[in-house]
Amino acid sequence: MAIVDVTGIGKSYRLSAGHKETVLQDVSLNIESGSVVGLLGPNGAGKTTLIKILSGLLRPDTGGGTILGYDLLRDHALIRSRISLVSPTSDVGTDNNLTVRQNLQFWAPVYGLIGERAKSRIEELLTKVNLRDKADAWPMHLSAGQRQRLALARSLLAENPLIFLDEPTNKLDFDGVRSVRELVQDLNRNHGVTILLTTHVMEEAEELCDAIALLREGKLLAYMKTRDLTQSLGLTRTIRVAFRRPGSAEVDAQRVGLQSDLARMPAVQAARVSEDSSTMVSAELQTLDIRATTPVLLDCLRRRNWNLISMQSEMVTLHDVFLSTIKPAEDMERGI
Ligand SMILES: Nc1ncnc2c1ncn2[C@@H]1O[C@H](COP(=O)(O)OP(=O)(O)O)[C@@H](O)[C@H]1O
Ligand SMILES: [Mg+2]
């Protein structure tokens, strides 16, 4: 079932002197229940505007459709009460005069949670967003990532089946990014929540999302399964591995055997093996899909009993994606 089903969404803002800025143009999006979709685009692409429209906060100039089966234009109040939205400004809803737990206790009745149910849900969420040891802390003593997770916990009080996350990992440090990404995966895999998130980090979209919608200057350039998108872009990336093998007998035969094994791995375009010493070997692989290649590569080394010393891979950036969609953009638009 499509949980989000909108077509022809358009929005423009009237600027001074009668000028109009078109922010969204003819955007159609269909999101299956239970999936994680990434809305990917540079700053100013229209991501936040689209999220606001889909959450029933902003009325589109053109187009319409349904969210959770409710009419986007008619039932916007119902939609607002059935979805959760975490935006970069969600933190504003945090009261600095209440502790972390008290903030959740304050908001629980707003989402219809009272008594024992509220209590157990709050404790469950504190654990889920990894704020249990900060439950009695004041919000101003939290890091940016912890405040972001508090805002997330607040929106999760509602237990809605559809969540919009606008730049959930923006401005977070490495641990903050990791824990928010894990939370997204947990909500989706273990609680069946459908998630639409915006990001301008390709790596994040690749890691979390089943499908990616590419938005640029208000237009949807592509909307497809993550794997199809990365493969259709034809962007090869390099994986470099170094490992140590026991003994040095039949060195050359091993090298030739390994090279042909690597070249046959999923999504691999080319492979080169070089001997750094009689026991140290390094290899360089060009792959169209790091996630498809990596587990097979690790498994191959494990089966040969070779010890991994280091592994590095180059990520595709949003910049690479947009550069490579400039030429086929017209074809992609037709294909949507
Ligand atoms: N309330 C508004 N009034 C006028 N212009 C706006 C308003 N909100 C957003 N915009 C403009 O719409 C464009 C898209 O903004 P936004 O949806 O926030 O993009 P993104 O989230 O992808 O960075 C930007 O050029 C922005 O300046
Ligand atoms: Mg935005």
Side-chain angles (χ1 to χ4, degrees):
M1 189 197 84
I3 204 161
V4 169
D5 188 6
V6 295
T7 46
I9 299 292
K11 182 78 192 170
S12 47
Y13 285 110
R14 216 169 287 284
L15 302 177
S16 55
H19 290 299
K20 243 175 47 174
E21 185 190 350
T22 302
V23 175
L24 289 175
Q25 221 176 320
D26 200 19
V27 172
S28 299
L29 199 61
N30 186 297
I31 299 178
E32 284 298 310
S33 179
S35 54
V36 181
V37 172
L39 188 56
L40 199 65
N43 284 335
K47 303 182 296 294
T48 297
T49 307
L50 182 58
I51 291 258
K52 282 186 183 163
I53 289 174
L54 299 179
S55 341
L57 288 173
L58 190 67
R59 195 181 168 83
D61 298 336
T62 63
T66 59
I67 309 289
L68 292 159
Y70 299 112
D71 189 280
L72 183 62
L73 304 179
R74 255 198 348 250
D75 307 325
H76 45 87
L78 266 172
I79 293 172
R80 281 201 297 271
S81 69
R82 300 287 195 285
I83 60 106
S84 296
L85 168 66
V86 183
S87 66
T89 54
S90 293
D91 191 36
V92 172
T94 297
D95 189 330
N96 284 319
N97 297 309
L98 299 176
T99 65
V100 166
R101 185 184 274 113
Q102 285 167 346
N103 262 281
L104 295 176
Q105 286 166 344
F106 173 80
W107 283 97
V110 177
Y111 297 109
L113 284 171
I114 45 170
E116 275 307 310
R117 252 188 82 220
K119 220 169 155 185
S120 62
R121 179 80 181 140
I122 288 169
E123 295 312 308
E124 181 193 331
L125 283 175
L126 284 170
T127 306
K128 201 181 276 300
V129 301
N130 207 1
L131 281 180
R132 178 160 285 284
D133 55 340
K134 295 285 173 189
D136 299 314
W138 302 104
M140 61 265 215
H141 296 153
L142 299 182
S143 69
Q146 289 162 342
R147 290 183 70 101
Q148 175 81 341
R149 281 181 279 143
L150 174 57
L152 200 53
R154 201 178 73 224
S155 78
L156 296 178
L157 281 165
E159 290 189 89
N160 284 321
L162 177 60
I163 301 185
F164 296 124
L165 300 172
D166 196 359
E167 311 251 2
T169 59
N170 205 10
K171 295 191 196 145
L172 300 188
D173 64 7
F174 183 78
D175 287 340
V177 167
R178 210 38 295 135
S179 70
V180 169
R181 288 186 189 172
E182 278 167 13
L183 189 58
V184 166
Q185 286 171 330
D186 172 62
L187 286 169
N188 176 254
R189 289 178 192 161
N190 304 327
H191 303 272
V193 177
T194 306
I195 297 167
L196 175 66
L197 62 93
T198 75
T199 177
H200 51 256
V201 183
M202 180 63 186
E203 178 209 333
E204 177 160 284
E206 271 193 279
E207 180 183 340
L208 296 178
C209 304
D210 304 310
I212 292 178
L214 284 181
L215 198 65
R216 191 177 56 196
E217 293 170 7
K219 288 190 198 158
L220 204 58
L221 292 186
Y223 177 39
M224 47 176 107
K225 290 216 158 51
T226 307
R227 182 161 293 185
D228 294 347
L229 177 72
T230 49
Q231 293 198 354
S232 79
L233 296 173
L235 293 169
T236 56
R237 280 168 286 178
T238 308
I239 302 178
R240 290 187 188 85
V241 280
F243 48 88
R244 196 191 311 276
R245 66 183 162 200
S248 58
E250 297 171 63
V251 166
D252 219 41
Q254 283 185 352
R255 187 178 61 81
V256 172
L258 178 65
Q259 183 144 321
S260 69
D261 278 1
L262 294 181
R264 278 197 307 260
M265 284 179 183
V268 169
Q269 303 290 94
R272 197 163 45 98
V273 176
S274 49
E275 319 261 337
D276 299 338
S277 71
S278 61
T279 54
M280 287 287 289
V281 179
S282 57
E284 204 172 280
L285 291 87
Q286 304 294 328
T287 172
L288 284 167
D289 185 347
I290 283 183
R291 285 196 296 182
T293 308
T294 312
V296 182
L297 172 62
L298 292 176
D299 194 48
C300 163
L301 298 181
R302 207 175 302 125
R303 269 188 291 113
R304 289 169 191 241
N305 259 332
W306 292 351
N307 296 325
L308 187 65
I309 306 290
S310 70
M311 180 160 165
Q312 291 168 317
S313 56
E314 282 169 5
M315 286 295 169
V316 168
T317 65
L318 183 60
H319 185 68
D320 297 331
V321 174
F322 280 104
L323 278 183
S324 75
T325 44
I326 285 171
K327 276 172 276 131
E330 273 183 38
D331 295 343
M332 283 179 146
E333 260 175 302
R334 262 182 260 129
I336 290 167

